[in-house]
């Protein structure tokens, strides 16, 4: 069998605030446990300690490269990328992570992950395909990484291995990992952490596993909720390439945690802008911060109303309202109808 290749490309803008923080937090925490101070790891990056505890904070590729440069220079642990990757959690990835873990099969989880991986803050351009009985993940750096390539590669593969294990609720069994750089001094740690043969000095970056795993049913499958997550992610990002960078950054930050959207001053700080500059840029783009936030909440609420039987209290909480009556008022203001009326109308349209 030869499956169609899935290729995920990204804009390699080095200064746009488009990357998430989960991996950054894991790296800094592992270093702190080994006696390295937060201030030293973050020096010169523009990343502040409060951002490390905020899953919605964003940073640029340039900031991420500066951080990894510090990590590589300061770490007393040569396999820091492998160790930090083992700290990853599904909950760190918001709607994206929930969509992966609730997929019906492992193959659907891989497909969802590839289609929406932009939300996870990628550094590598990713490709997935099936050839015969072998499934292949491949990666290509989006820009020149130089001496940081091994560290970033270790962190990426260790993170994915950890997340796959959580999705499957069993160790992920790969056949081989091919890497395009010489074996480092700690090469033996790769096989220990990733559980497969590792071949250094290869012409490609490629992870091979048995394609039969793609048919495995997932223990936390909820196809209805996975569908809601997929539709929501796709609709929110379908025109992202045509949008101004500031709008895209806000949408991706909010999408990571729609139940706890930051205020405009907090969002401005995350984007390294003054509130006045943020307002001006959004005005130039023909929108406002409140309009973007309300649009995200409204779309997610509508998806949940139409596609699930989740109660109003839970929907209100998921879209950021502590009180269901305030949610009803806001939803009526957005749409002119109550949530209950909308649910009935949407379901009637499908019948």
């Amino acid at each position: 069998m030869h499956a169609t290749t899935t290729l995920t490309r990204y804009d390699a803008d080095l200064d746009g605030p488009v990357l998430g923080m989960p991996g950054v937090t894991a790296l800094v925490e592992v270093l702190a446990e080994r006696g390295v101070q937060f201030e030293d790891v973050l020096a010169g990056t523009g990343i502040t300690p409060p951002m490390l505890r905020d899953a919605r904070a964003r940073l640029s590729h340039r900031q991420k490269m500066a951080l990894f440069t510090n990590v590589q220079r300061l770490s007393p642990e040569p396999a820091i990328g492998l160790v930090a990757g083992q700290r990853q959690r599904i909950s760190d990835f918001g709607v994206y992570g929930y969509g992966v873990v609730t997929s019906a099969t492992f193959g659907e989880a891989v497909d969802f992950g590839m289609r929406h991986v932009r939300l996870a803050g990628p550094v590598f351009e990713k490709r997935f395909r099936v050839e015969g009985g072998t499934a292949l993940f491949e990666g290509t750096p989006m820009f020149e990484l130089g001496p940081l390539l091994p560290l970033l590669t270790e962190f990426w593969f260790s993170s994915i291995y950890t997340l796959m294990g959580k999705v499957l609720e069993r160790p992920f069994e790969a056949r081989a990992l091919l890497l395009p750089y010489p074996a480092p001094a700690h090469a033996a740690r790769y096989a220990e952490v990733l559980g497969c043969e590792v071949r250094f000095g290869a012409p490609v970056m490629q992870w091979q596993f048995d394609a039969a795993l793609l048919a495995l049913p997932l223990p936390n499958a909820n196809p209805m909720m996975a569908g809601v997550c997929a539709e929501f992610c796709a609709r929110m990002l379908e025109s992202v390439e045509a949008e101004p960078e500031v709008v895209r950054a806000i949408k991706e930050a909010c999408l990571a945690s729609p139940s706890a959207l930051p205020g405009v001053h907090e969002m401005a700080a995350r984007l390294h802008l003054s509130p006045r500059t943020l307002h001006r840029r959004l005005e130039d783009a023909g929108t406002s911060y409140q309009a973007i936030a309300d649009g995200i909440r409204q779309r997610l609420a509508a998806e949940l109303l139409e596609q699930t039987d989740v109660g109003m209290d839970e929907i209100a909480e998921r879209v950021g309202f502590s009180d269901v009556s305030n949610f009803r008022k806001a939803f009526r203001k957005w749409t002119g109808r109550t949530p209950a009326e909308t649910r009935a109308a949407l379901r009637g349209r499908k019948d």
Side-chain angles (χ1 to χ4, degrees):
M1 177 181 71
H2 182 84
T4 301
T5 296
T6 299
L7 174 64
T8 308
R9 296 186 181 276
Y10 323 100
D11 178 4
D13 176 12
L14 293 179
D15 296 304
V18 298
L19 303 179
M21 297 294 291
V24 172
T25 303
L27 281 166
V28 176
E29 288 177 348
V30 170
L31 282 173
E33 292 170 3
R34 287 156 174 77
V36 181
Q37 298 299 311
F38 278 21
E39 294 78 7
D40 294 333
V41 183
L42 301 180
T45 66
I47 302 170
T48 63
M51 292 172 67
L52 298 174
R53 298 184 291 273
D54 190 345
R56 297 158 292 162
R58 315 311 268 179
L59 67 158
S60 68
H61 284 292
R62 198 179 301 279
Q63 286 179 293
K64 194 165 189 176
M65 294 305 99
L67 176 79
F68 273 83
T69 298
N70 288 349
V71 169
Q72 189 169 66
R73 176 172 53 85
L74 297 170
S75 178
E77 165 60 74
I80 185 67
L82 294 171
V83 175
Q86 294 176 299
R87 299 290 184 89
Q88 297 285 33
R89 300 171 299 180
I90 291 291
S91 59
D92 288 332
F93 293 87
V95 176
Y96 173 76
Y98 198 44
V100 171
V101 77
T102 57
S103 296
T105 66
F106 186 56
E108 291 183 19
V110 170
D111 180 66
F112 182 94
M114 288 295 296
R115 285 187 289 113
H116 303 98
V117 72
R118 178 191 186 95
L119 302 176
V123 174
F124 296 97
E125 182 177 277
K126 299 173 178 67
R127 183 189 303 266
F128 176 75
R129 70 180 190 276
V130 176
E131 291 185 352
T134 302
L136 305 169
F137 277 117
E138 295 178 335
T140 304
M142 295 165 59
F143 40 82
E144 179 59 41
L145 299 177
L148 292 178
L149 178 59
L151 173 57
L152 287 159
T153 302
E154 291 172 12
F155 182 62
W156 175 38
F157 281 110
S158 179
S159 298
I160 297 302
Y161 177 82
T162 300
L163 293 172
M164 285 180 171
K166 294 182 184 299
V167 168
L168 291 165
E169 292 193 353
R170 55 177 258 190
F172 173 66
E173 299 174 1
R175 289 177 173 171
L177 174 61
L178 283 61
L179 298 173
Y181 52 83
H186 57 281
R189 300 283 295 278
Y190 281 67
E192 293 174 6
V193 172
L194 303 174
C196 69
E197 175 191 4
V198 181
R199 304 173 199 162
F200 295 95
V204 295
M205 181 184 294
Q206 186 181 88
W207 209 1
Q208 306 172 356
F209 66 94
D210 186 352
L213 293 177
L214 297 172
L216 286 178
L218 297 184
N220 295 299
N222 185 332
M224 181 177 292
M225 188 56 66
V228 170
C229 293
E231 289 183 25
F232 183 63
C233 290
R235 290 180 185 179
M236 291 307 302
L237 298 178
E238 62 186 357
S239 61
V240 72
E241 295 301 330
E243 290 178 328
E245 182 63 43
V246 66
V247 175
R248 178 173 66 186
I250 290 172
K251 282 189 175 183
E252 292 184 357
C254 291
L255 190 56
S257 185
S259 63
L261 301 185
V264 65
H265 284 75
E266 183 181 350
M267 179 60 75
R270 291 178 189 168
L271 300 181
H272 309 292
L273 301 171
S274 69
R276 182 177 179 180
T277 299
L278 178 60
H279 280 302
R280 186 176 67 251
R281 291 191 182 181
L282 290 175
E283 184 176 348
D284 290 343
T287 187
S288 68
Y289 182 73
Q290 192 62 51
I292 294 172
D294 285 347
I296 290 171
R297 286 172 165 155
Q298 179 185 340
R299 289 189 182 192
L300 181 56
E303 294 284 353
L304 293 170
L305 288 167
E306 180 177 10
Q307 303 292 342
T308 77
D309 293 317
V310 172
M312 295 301 169
D313 287 345
E314 187 173 347
I315 293 177
E317 182 179 356
R318 290 193 186 185
V319 299
F321 290 88
S322 58
D323 182 84
V324 69
S325 63
N326 288 334
F327 165 62
R328 289 193 176 100
K329 291 177 183 177
F331 194 88
R332 190 180 188 97
K333 179 181 178 180
W334 296 334
T335 68
R337 294 189 293 194
T338 68
E341 290 170 344
T342 298
R343 172 170 272 172
L346 290 172
R347 294 190 173 185
R349 185 182 65 192
K350 293 171 63 178
D351 293 340

